Amino acid sequence: MSRDTALELAVDYFDSGHFRDDLARRVAVPTQSQDPASGPIQREYLATQIIPDTERLGFTARIEENPVSPAHPFLIAHRHEGDGLPTVLTYGHGDVQLAHPDQWRDGLDPWRLTIEGDRWYGRGTADNKGQHTVNLAALEQVLRARGGRLGFNVKLLLETGEETGSPGLPEVCARLADELRADLLIASDGPRLAAERPTLFLGSRGCTNFTLRYRARVGSHHSGNWGGVLRNPATVLVGALATMVSGDGRLLVEGLRPPPIPDSVRAALGKIEVDASPGSPAIDPDWGEPGLTPSERLFGWNTLEVLAMTAGDPDGPVNAIPGEARAHCQLRYVVGTDAADLEPIVRAHLDAHGYPMVEVSVQHRMAATRLDPEHPWIHWALGSLERTTGKEPGLLPNLGGSLPNEAFADVLGLPTIWIPHSYAGCAQHAPNEHLLGSLTREALQIMAGLFWDLGEIDRVP
Ligand SMILES: [Zn+2]
């Protein structure tokens, strides 16, 4: 029994077709969480696709009701091996984005796993069924390699509402904080930095969506009869936006700018390139905060984006001053930003710049998280990935996008390590979603190696 045995078993699991079979039956359950009628399907997924597999591995599993959104239940499972052993919490989500089957290319069905060369198509293959299937299977192979032992305790939390903003996840973590107590989180979601580069990330940027709106008056008014004496809401709104973000993308709202990039984060980002694979857009070198590298601007800084804006009817303009104008905006931000106070900060900013008439309303917020790249668990995990693959893994302090990591990092207070098993071109959330077979085969080895190494630790760092 050795680490190599665990890795060989993981490869066998893939090469023998067992991974394909496990993934195919999971993809076949249409767990679209944005469909309000999907509650029974989410339950079915947990009850038929996950619970029997975890019980086979010696877990005690149950479905936990969601206190915020009943249609999106959780699965909680435990496998306790010994009191003095390290305990890992792992996480995944069983739900998927709406599939829109008619938009998939001919020959593909989102609910049927279809393999074409290295691409394995199906809704949820990349996000997140393929990823949690890899991690559960790696646990199983380590158990076999050690003759029925892992050498650590495992807790599993699977949610079914991630694609609707993880309703109830922080609440359930707070309520079950004792039960979910662990030494660290190891979970998988999202893309690698590049398909061939094993990657580890430690959190994600936060995200707050908000609307700016100026309602000047009811209805529009003829621009010939009134132009020059009526304030134009579109002009006012554009002026207000220009005080918040410059024409070359620099965030100007003082209270929403991030603290200086910590040295350890800057050092990690120095080894990372922004994705430049075929199909990715060419980045603009002169956009955003001056003096930062592209990876610092994307992963180490904040950005204010205008997602959509409207005044009048852009598809049928008339000669009139519109009655109102609206812009839907988003702040993506790193740890250390006071985004919980975004509304009063933007309000004060607009007032100070002469725009008290522009209303601010905040819709949705996801917190920023980031474990210190110098944390001892990170050295341990990087070493494990390197030992398994012979490659230098990419260390990303936080994803540019957002993940519900707040529940683990802040509510449960865990060091959080994410090991993604997908890549940027996977079409996650879009038609023709797929995983890469070659990447998945490597991911199974990575996770088997990592879980093997966790069982060898005699002292939690
Ligand atoms: Zn997703």
Side-chain angles (χ1 to χ4, degrees):
M1 298 305 160
S2 69
R3 192 180 199 274
D4 288 341
T5 311
L7 267 54
E8 280 161 24
L9 287 171
V11 166
D12 279 355
Y13 168 77
F14 183 88
D15 292 346
S16 65
H18 284 111
F19 173 78
R20 180 196 62 217
D21 295 346
D22 284 343
L23 184 60
R25 64 183 165 83
R26 289 178 178 149
V27 164
V29 186
T31 51
Q32 305 171 102
S33 55
Q34 290 135 319
D35 174 357
S38 77
I41 300 169
Q42 308 296 351
R43 260 164 231 280
E44 177 199 330
Y45 183 78
L46 300 180
T48 66
Q49 299 302 322
I50 304 294
I51 288 183
D53 295 286
T54 55
E55 287 178 341
R56 195 159 40 80
L57 306 188
F59 282 81
T60 308
R62 70 171 193 276
I63 290 177
E64 176 80 17
E65 296 305 324
N66 188 323
V68 173
S69 180
H72 303 115
F74 298 93
L75 175 103
I76 309 269
H78 298 262
R79 190 181 184 284
H80 189 80
E81 215 170 86
D83 286 343
L85 300 174
T87 299
V88 64
L89 175 67
T90 184
Y91 158 88
H93 63 91
D95 63 313
V96 297
Q97 285 264 334
L98 289 172
H100 303 294
D102 47 310
Q103 295 174 18
W104 289 54
R105 114 171 130 54
D106 274 357
L108 297 181
D109 171 346
W111 313 119
R112 193 189 66 231
L113 185 66
T114 304
I115 301 177
E116 292 180 2
D118 201 29
R119 294 188 170 200
W120 297 34
Y121 293 94
R123 178 52 99 222
T125 48
D127 181 17
N128 170 268
K129 291 173 177 175
Q131 303 214 23
H132 62 251
T133 298
V134 164
N135 293 1
L136 283 173
L139 278 173
E140 178 161 19
Q141 305 317 322
V142 171
L143 258 177
R144 290 176 61 198
R146 277 200 200 281
R149 277 185 63 248
L150 286 173
F152 55 92
N153 304 313
V154 195
K155 299 177 180 182
L156 167 65
L157 170 59
L158 216 67
E159 71 166 320
T160 60
E162 200 269 349
E163 304 293 2
T164 62
S166 295
L169 181 64
E171 288 81 0
V172 106
C173 285
R175 192 171 75 194
L176 304 180
D178 271 348
E179 187 181 349
L180 296 174
R181 192 191 310 269
D183 294 303
L184 81 163
L185 174 93
I186 297 177
S188 299
D189 203 8
R192 289 179 169 187
L193 284 164
E196 65 289 346
R197 188 162 190 203
T199 300
L200 209 141
F201 65 86
L202 313 179
S204 71
R205 285 203 292 190
C207 171
T208 299
N209 288 45
F210 63 99
T211 299
L212 298 181
R213 187 173 190 188
Y214 175 29
R215 288 183 273 198
R217 55 193 78 80
V218 176
S220 50
H221 290 77
H222 193 283
S223 55
N225 297 339
W226 298 100
V229 294
L230 294 185
R231 231 190 228 113
N232 185 314
T235 312
V236 170
L237 193 64
V238 169
L241 281 168
T243 70
M244 297 173 68
V245 53
S246 70
D248 54 5
R250 183 165 189 258
L251 175 59
L252 301 175
V253 183
E254 205 46 53
L256 296 180
R257 289 169 60 81
I261 302 176
D263 288 343
S264 59
V265 172
R266 197 178 281 268
L269 292 179
K271 298 182 185 170
I272 282 172
E273 300 288 329
V274 174
D275 176 45
S277 49
S280 299
I283 60 171
D284 292 312
D286 47 2
W287 179 259
E289 184 69 17
L292 300 184
T293 66
S295 63
E296 288 169 351
R297 283 185 267 144
L298 178 57
F299 301 115
W301 207 252
N302 298 354
T303 177
L304 177 58
E305 301 296 340
V306 178
L307 305 178
M309 56 193 298
T310 183
D313 178 3
D315 296 320
V318 293
N319 297 324
I321 299 161
E324 72 165 82
R326 213 165 6 122
H328 295 284
C329 304
Q330 185 180 62
L331 183 74
R332 297 266 182 187
Y333 57 93
V334 296
V335 161
T337 308
D338 186 13
D341 288 330
L342 182 137
E343 189 158 345
I345 289 170
V346 172
R347 176 75 276 143
H349 174 92
L350 291 172
D351 290 350
H353 287 78
Y355 295 97
M357 70 293 271
V358 175
E359 303 163 46
V360 186
S361 60
V362 170
Q363 280 93 43
H364 176 77
R365 178 178 166 264
M366 203 175 251
T369 59
R370 183 175 64 208
L371 181 63
D372 180 355
E374 300 288 339
H375 194 286
W377 274 121
I378 307 309
H379 293 288
W380 169 81
L382 287 172
S384 174
L385 264 61
E386 188 156 0
R387 189 171 167 203
T388 299
T389 62
K391 303 175 187 172
E392 190 192 353
L395 174 63
L396 186 59
N398 52 260
L399 273 191
S402 299
L403 270 180
N405 195 42
E406 178 187 22
F408 313 117
D410 297 341
V411 179
L412 294 177
L414 297 178
T416 53
I417 297 179
W418 292 80
I419 300 165
H421 305 323
S422 187
Y423 79 117
C426 70
Q428 123 191 46
H429 296 192
N432 312 329
E433 177 182 349
H434 58 275
L435 60 72
L436 296 181
S438 53
L439 192 163
T440 304
R441 192 172 184 271
E442 183 183 66
L444 280 159
Q445 298 171 74
I446 283 175
M447 297 311 288
L450 195 71
F451 289 139
W452 177 275
D453 293 342
L454 190 58
E456 302 278 284
I457 283 180
D458 34 45
R459 205 162 47 85
V460 169

